[in-house]
């Protein structure tokens, strides 16, 4: 069944499209009898107005675009929920797009959103994005952009990130306090600023506790479960087999955890594990996973607040940091 339009209803009733539109809005210009006929037909045909088309016709679209690397992860879905909640409060609708961690897809999605006349875009970089001319194109088009988590071009665009340095420092220090001395760091590509921040916190904790930094324990590959699984397998096969692991997101946590279980290693007895995730499911795994909670929903809310402020004329470039929260569970205690 095709979507019903105002034109369809006007044809059925033998009136003009503007008449149907005004009747649906209960305009006093339309007689009560005609208003009743239009509403009855709309209900019978299950008519639903298109808010996007309406806003475009008015010349004042109230749309925000969001581009994320992987929409199915708990972190990104949490950020999107925060964006949607804040956008709704301020009268905006949200269109979400997935880059699948590929720069080519990211470029295409940004172009699509620009074609839809969104008023602004909130974005998190794909893991293989190493040049940023597609964002400079938006800058030149005066389309506001706010980054979250993974950012670039800090002189041109505002951003909201987590306090990754401090959180990774505290997580690593926790593992050290539990007796770990060979702590592996499983992250993503080194060019991503989020990875850099968390790796810096990990290194600072080792230095402060006078533990030698062994680069063989640092694995910064693709941010996929398979990559984390393989990295963990390789680490377990070396002479510096880790007794602790810090993974920088939930995707990597699950890959590392599977490798440990496949090697018949126990957590936390043989290897202690802590990761960055807002996923509530980690509390119900066996063992339950110690985690650094990203406060994803709050990050989304703040990114949306900043973007709408920019849309409304606040031209100041802002860079804000959202605090993280450490929750220690069975995997590291």
């Amino acid at each position: 069944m095709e979507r019903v339009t105002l034109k369809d209803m006007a044809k059925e009733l033998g009136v003009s499209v503007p008449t149907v539109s005004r009747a649906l809005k209960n305009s006093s210009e339309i007689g009560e009898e005609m208003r009743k006929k239009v509403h009855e037909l709309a209900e019978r045909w299950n008519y639903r107005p298109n808010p996007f088309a309406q806003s475009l016709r008015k010349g004042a679209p109230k749309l925000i675009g969001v581009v994320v690397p992987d929409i199915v992860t708990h972190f990104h879905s949490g950020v999107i929920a925060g964006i949607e909640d804040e956008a709704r409060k301020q009268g905006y609708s949200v269109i979400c797009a997935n880059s699948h961690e590929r720069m080519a897809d990211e470029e295409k999605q940004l172009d699509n959103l620009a074609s839809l006349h969104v008023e602004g875009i909130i974005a998190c970089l794909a893991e293989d994005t190493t040049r940023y001319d597609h964002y400079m194109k938006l800058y030149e088009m005066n389309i506001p952009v706010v980054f979250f988590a993974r950012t670039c071009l800090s002189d041109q665009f505002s951003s909201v990130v987590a306090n990754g340095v401090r959180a990774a420092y505290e997580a690593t220090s926790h593992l050290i306090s539990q007796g770990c001395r060979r702590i592996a760091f499983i992250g993503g590509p080194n060019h991503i600023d989020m990875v850099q921040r968390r790796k810096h916190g990990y290194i600072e904790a080792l230095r402060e506790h006078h533990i030698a930094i062994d680069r063989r324990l640092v694995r910064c590959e693709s941010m996929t479960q398979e990559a984390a699984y393989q990295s963990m397998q390789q680490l377990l096969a070396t002479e510096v087999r880790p007794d602790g692991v810090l993974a920088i997101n939930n995707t990597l946590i699950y890959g590392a955890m599977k490798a440990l279980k496949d090697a018949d290693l126990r957590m936390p007895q043989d290897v202690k594990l802590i990761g960055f995730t807002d996923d509530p499911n980690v509390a119900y795994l066996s063992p339950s996973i110690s985690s650094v909670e990203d406060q994803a929903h709050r990050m989304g809310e703040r990114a949306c607040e900043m973007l709408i402020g920019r849309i409304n004329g606040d031209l100041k470039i802002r860079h804000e940091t959202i605090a993280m929260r450490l929750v220690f569970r069975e995997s590291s205690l």
Side-chain angles (χ1 to χ4, degrees):
M1 183 176 180
E2 295 183 0
R3 188 182 298 272
V4 176
T5 66
L6 292 176
K7 186 176 181 181
D8 296 329
M9 296 171 63
K11 183 178 179 180
E12 175 71 13
L13 295 169
V15 297
S16 68
V17 171
T19 296
V20 173
S21 177
R22 294 189 185 103
L24 288 170
K25 296 174 183 176
N26 294 316
S27 170
S28 59
E29 300 175 23
I30 307 299
E32 182 179 350
E33 183 179 353
M34 177 56 65
R35 290 203 304 270
K36 183 178 179 181
K37 286 182 179 179
V38 170
H39 280 282
E40 287 176 348
L41 182 62
E43 184 176 357
R44 190 165 70 250
W45 282 9
N46 197 28
Y47 169 73
R48 292 291 181 272
N50 184 339
F52 299 154
Q54 289 176 341
S55 64
L56 288 170
R57 283 195 294 272
K58 294 175 183 175
K62 299 284 282 183
L63 304 177
I64 289 173
V66 180
V67 180
V68 298
D70 187 350
I71 205 166
V72 302
T73 67
H74 197 276
F75 171 70
H76 292 124
S77 64
V79 173
I80 290 169
I83 293 170
E84 289 177 334
D85 286 348
E86 184 59 31
R88 192 179 302 112
K89 292 177 187 176
Q90 303 204 40
Y92 284 79
S93 297
V94 177
I95 302 175
C96 296
N98 197 343
S99 72
H100 304 284
E101 295 283 14
R102 295 190 291 264
M103 184 172 71
D105 286 358
E106 181 179 280
E107 291 178 298
K108 182 177 180 180
Q109 298 292 13
L110 290 172
D111 188 57
N112 289 340
L113 290 172
S115 297
L116 288 171
H117 298 272
V118 296
E119 291 199 10
I121 294 172
I122 299 171
C124 179
L125 297 177
E127 74 167 44
D128 69 350
T129 297
T130 54
R131 58 177 177 76
Y132 313 112
D133 48 303
H134 46 307
Y135 287 105
M136 285 306 301
K137 180 180 177 181
L138 297 175
Y139 181 78
E140 292 162 2
M141 294 168 65
N142 292 317
I143 297 177
V145 175
V146 171
F147 287 104
F148 73 90
R150 310 178 197 170
T151 74
C152 66
L153 302 172
S154 58
D155 290 339
Q156 284 79 30
F157 299 109
S158 296
S159 64
V160 184
V161 301
N163 63 334
V165 176
R166 184 65 192 175
Y169 171 87
E170 292 179 0
T172 305
S173 296
H174 165 70
L175 291 173
I176 294 170
S177 73
Q178 296 299 305
C180 298
R181 293 298 179 268
R182 299 183 307 280
I183 301 171
F185 177 89
I186 299 181
N190 281 308
H191 66 268
I192 298 175
D193 62 334
M194 180 192 74
V195 177
Q196 295 170 7
R197 289 191 294 270
R198 296 179 183 185
K199 184 163 66 172
H200 179 68
Y202 157 80
I203 290 172
E204 285 300 301
L206 295 179
R207 284 176 174 161
E208 183 163 315
H209 291 87
H210 308 292
I211 296 175
I213 299 167
D214 191 332
R215 299 196 178 277
R216 292 173 294 178
L217 292 170
V218 178
R219 299 298 174 110
C220 292
E221 310 293 341
S222 174
M223 284 190 280
T224 64
Q225 287 187 11
E226 181 59 27
Y229 179 81
Q230 292 179 1
S231 290
M232 195 70 247
Q233 281 189 318
Q234 292 164 5
L235 285 165
L236 295 175
T238 67
E239 60 186 20
V240 291
R241 193 180 83 175
D243 55 10
V245 176
L246 175 63
I248 71 161
N249 65 27
N250 59 318
T251 301
L252 301 181
I253 290 169
Y254 297 141
M257 191 173 181
K258 177 171 170 43
L260 291 170
K261 289 193 170 185
D262 286 353
D264 292 325
L265 292 173
R266 300 166 301 163
M267 292 171 282
Q269 295 91 337
D270 300 317
V271 182
K272 300 185 189 301
L273 176 68
I274 186 169
F276 286 72
T277 178
D278 275 349
D279 188 347
N281 294 319
V282 297
Y284 299 95
L285 297 175
S286 181
S288 57
I289 304 300
S290 294
S291 62
V292 184
E293 296 184 352
D294 293 286
Q295 307 286 356
H297 191 277
R298 178 57 188 152
M299 186 178 289
E301 285 180 325
R302 191 65 195 112
C304 189
E305 289 172 351
M306 291 168 66
L307 182 68
I308 293 175
R310 184 83 175 176
I311 291 168
N312 291 334
D314 181 1
L315 300 182
K316 183 177 180 180
I317 303 299
R318 303 177 187 277
H319 301 293
E320 296 194 13
T321 301
I322 303 295
M324 293 174 140
R325 187 167 69 98
L326 277 72
V327 180
F328 301 127
R329 301 188 180 94
E330 294 169 350
S331 69
S332 69
L333 295 175

